[in-house]
Each structure stands twice: as structure tokens, then as C-alpha cells.
Amino acid sequence: MYLVTGATGVIGRPLVAALLSAGLPVRAVSRRPDAALPHGVGLVSPEELDLADVESLFVHPRATKDYVDDLLRRAVAHGVRRVVVLSAINADDDPSHQPSRYNGDRNTEVENAVVACGLPWVSVRPSSFATNTLAMWRGPIALGDMVFGPYSAFTEAVIHEQDVADVIARAMVDDALDGRRLSITGPEALSLEQLVAIIGTALGKPLRYQEVPAEAAASAMVAHGLDAGFVHALLSRYARELERRPVVTDELATVLVRPARSFAEWVEDHRKEWS
Ligand SMILES: NC(=O)c1ccc[n+]([C@@H]2O[C@H](COP(=O)([O-])OP(=O)(O)OC[C@H]3O[C@@H](n4cnc5c(N)ncnc54)[C@H](OP(=O)(O)O)[C@@H]3O)[C@@H](O)[C@H]2O)c1
């Protein structure tokens, strides 16, 4: 049995799909008893987790951070053969430089718990998800042809969530990856300005990224309800990394023996969500 925590989320859903398409039996963990999951997938709540027949366990850091130690103790007791954890490419950075920590994520701690648990493990450390662009820009793009934001030249290699899920699925079945921290990224680094232009091309609607001063952007983001600490850490990261060579790795291509999906492909896969 392949047990997936965080199964209803951004990474969990494509992971469940990837495991099913490989013909593997899947049990999903969700706090919601009415969670809609593909046919044949068993559903359990975090409180009623049974690990007796589990061969491979996926630990989602956001979903399990409050019970990961207990989960791993039980995994060891039941002889689970492998644990794969989702982490992040910035997991070794100074905690104050990790924006997601301000929203409560604890990727480093959950990864450390998995590494220390005594079972064979793999950590999958993705770059920023391409889907973050929907959260940032869906509103302005639905309403007009201009996106206002800071640091138009900030560049990173955003990754398709299906690619993250495909690497996790491979790590759950392949013992050749045991003990590895896999830093995975999209295939090419693109600036914020380029990402917006690619969305525009895919939607057949010319779009422009209009840079605004960082202070004005920060105020607008906080006014929209984002945590002030998160906003400060995110914009500090943009400023800090503006002059650095962006990180693009080939680990995904090596593991999956195919290139990472492009950002244009990601937009195409999410076309309906932009309107
Ligand atoms: N966004 C990025 O660019 C990026 C990049 C690298 C790494 N990461 C890391 O990846 C993780 C996010 O992955 P994701 O987008 O797949 O997560 P997600 O979709 O937000 O959450 C996955 C599932 O976890 C459960 N969940 C959500 N919040 C929870 C909470 N506060 N307590 C308990 N359960 C909760 C929900 O399931 P139920 O409601 O069904 O229980 C949800 O469907 C974070 O740790 C993040 O730091 C993100």
C-alpha cells in the first residue's frame, strides 16, 4: 500500500494520480471525510491512520507538521519500507529567508524528522511552484492586461506540480534514490516579466508586467491580507537574488529520464483557471 498524506492538495492530487497510473494501491489521508478522490483510493483521517500494510509513505510537510514524530514512530513500528518527504529547495537557508515559514510551514523540521527516523528516506526539494502565479496574478489578469508588482527582472525556474509529483512517485518505488535530497526545478529560469508574457501568449491576450517600487508592492500585498512577515521575506528574497545566477538543476530530468515540463505547458494545463 502507498500512503499519501496531504492527498487533497496541490502536490497530493497529482501524486495520487501518478501512483494510480503506475498501477499501485493508494490510501489517502485527509481531514475531510467528504474529500473527493479518484475511484479505488481509500480515505483515512489523520486520527485513524493504519500503517500495518503500508510499504511506502509520503510525508507532506504542511499536512503532517503537527504529528510527524508520531507518524514516523508508527511507520518504524510497522516496518514501512521507505519514507519520501516533500521539502523545499531553500530548506537549508537561514529560516528568516524562507518566506513559507511565516505562513506556518516547517519544511526543514519535517525533513529532518524523516531523515532521522531510521527508515530509508528520500527528500524531494522543489523550487517555487508554477501555481503560485495563479495566486499572485489571477485577479489582475482576469480584469485587465497589466500586472503590477516588484522586481520585474527577478528570475527563477518555477516547476509544474505534476513534475514534483512524478519525482515523488518515482522515489516511493525506486530504492536507487534512497538517502538523496533531490533539488528539482523547472527547465529554465524566467523573470517575473517573462512569466506574465508567457501567460499572455497562451491566453491570446497581450499582458504586461509593470514594475512598482518594492515598498508600494509590499503595502498592497499586506492590504490584500498577506502576512507582513511573509511579504517582507519574499521581497527580501527577490532583492537578494536579483544579482545571483538563478538555480536550474537537471535532477528531475535525470530521475525521470525526460525533461521538466515548461512554464508554457503549465499555463496550458491550467488555462481554465485564468478566466
Ligand atoms: N508553493 C511553493 O512554491 C513551494 C515550493 C517548494 C515547497 N513548498 C512547500 O510545499 C508545501 C505545500 O504543498 P502543497 O501546495 O501541496 O500544500 P497544500 O495543497 O496547501 O496542502 C496539502 C494538504 O494538506 C492539508 N493541509 C493544508 N493546510 C493544513 C494545515 N494547516 N494543517 C493540517 N493540514 C493541512 C490539506 O488537506 P485536507 O484538508 O484534505 O486535510 C491540503 O489539501 C509547503 O510545506 C511548502 O512550504 C512550496
Side-chain angles (χ1 to χ4, degrees):
M1 180 59 68
Y2 287 71
L3 185 72
V4 177
T5 59
T8 62
V10 171
I11 301 301
R13 285 198 179 278
L15 173 59
V16 168
L19 292 169
L20 288 178
S21 71
L24 299 165
V26 180
R27 187 176 300 143
V29 184
S30 170
R31 297 166 300 178
R32 290 176 274 160
D34 58 347
L37 290 158
H39 181 70
V41 174
L43 173 66
V44 286
S45 71
E47 293 75 30
E48 64 185 15
L49 266 177
D50 179 6
L51 295 169
D53 57 350
V54 172
E55 183 165 334
S56 199
L57 166 66
F58 168 61
V59 173
H60 188 289
R62 186 171 287 165
T64 66
K65 64 177 188 237
D66 293 336
Y67 67 94
V68 67
D69 291 331
D70 181 54
L71 175 66
L72 293 169
R73 244 190 320 273
R74 292 163 61 194
V76 171
H78 284 291
V80 169
R81 289 190 27 207
R82 176 170 302 107
V83 186
V84 180
V85 62
L86 172 65
S87 183
I89 203 161
N90 64 359
D92 292 333
D93 290 359
D94 183 310
S96 69
H97 289 178
Q98 300 180 36
S100 65
R101 293 187 71 84
Y102 293 89
N103 291 333
D105 288 343
R106 292 292 178 266
N107 299 321
T108 312
E109 288 86 339
V110 174
E111 182 190 82
N112 287 342
V114 168
V115 168
C117 80
L119 296 172
W121 59 270
V122 184
S123 173
V124 176
R125 294 177 152 198
S127 59
S128 297
F129 299 167
T131 193
N132 295 347
T133 61
L134 264 172
M136 291 191 296
W137 302 328
R138 179 175 14 208
I141 287 176
L143 291 175
D145 59 3
M146 195 97 100
V147 168
F148 294 91
Y151 301 113
S152 57
F154 169 76
T155 300
E156 65 181 335
V158 298
I159 191 165
H160 195 305
E161 64 278 359
Q162 187 65 61
D163 277 345
V164 180
D166 288 351
V167 172
I168 294 169
R170 177 62 57 84
M172 288 181 81
V173 298
D174 186 353
D175 61 8
L177 298 172
D178 287 354
R180 300 266 310 273
R181 292 179 177 83
L182 301 167
S183 292
I184 56 172
T185 69
E188 62 174 336
L190 297 163
S191 67
L192 298 177
E193 194 170 22
Q194 287 172 314
L195 291 170
V196 167
I198 290 169
I199 297 165
T201 302
L203 301 182
K205 169 179 175 177
L207 294 172
R208 200 154 62 80
Y209 190 95
Q210 178 61 54
E211 182 167 315
V212 299
E215 302 71 33
S219 302
M221 290 163 90
V222 172
H224 272 86
L226 294 179
D227 176 84
F230 169 82
V231 170
H232 177 72
L234 182 70
L235 297 199
S236 302
R237 178 187 164 224
Y238 287 171
R240 203 170 46 247
E241 295 183 12
L242 209 50
E243 304 304 326
R244 288 190 204 160
R245 181 197 289 270
V247 176
V248 185
T249 75
D250 60 4
E251 299 220 48
L252 184 151
T254 305
V255 169
L256 298 178
V257 202
R258 63 157 176 83
R261 292 169 167 91
S262 68
F263 182 66
E265 204 174 339
W266 178 86
V267 180
E268 199 52 53
D269 290 344
H270 292 267
R271 170 179 285 281
K272 285 193 200 132
E273 292 159 65
W274 285 101
S275 48

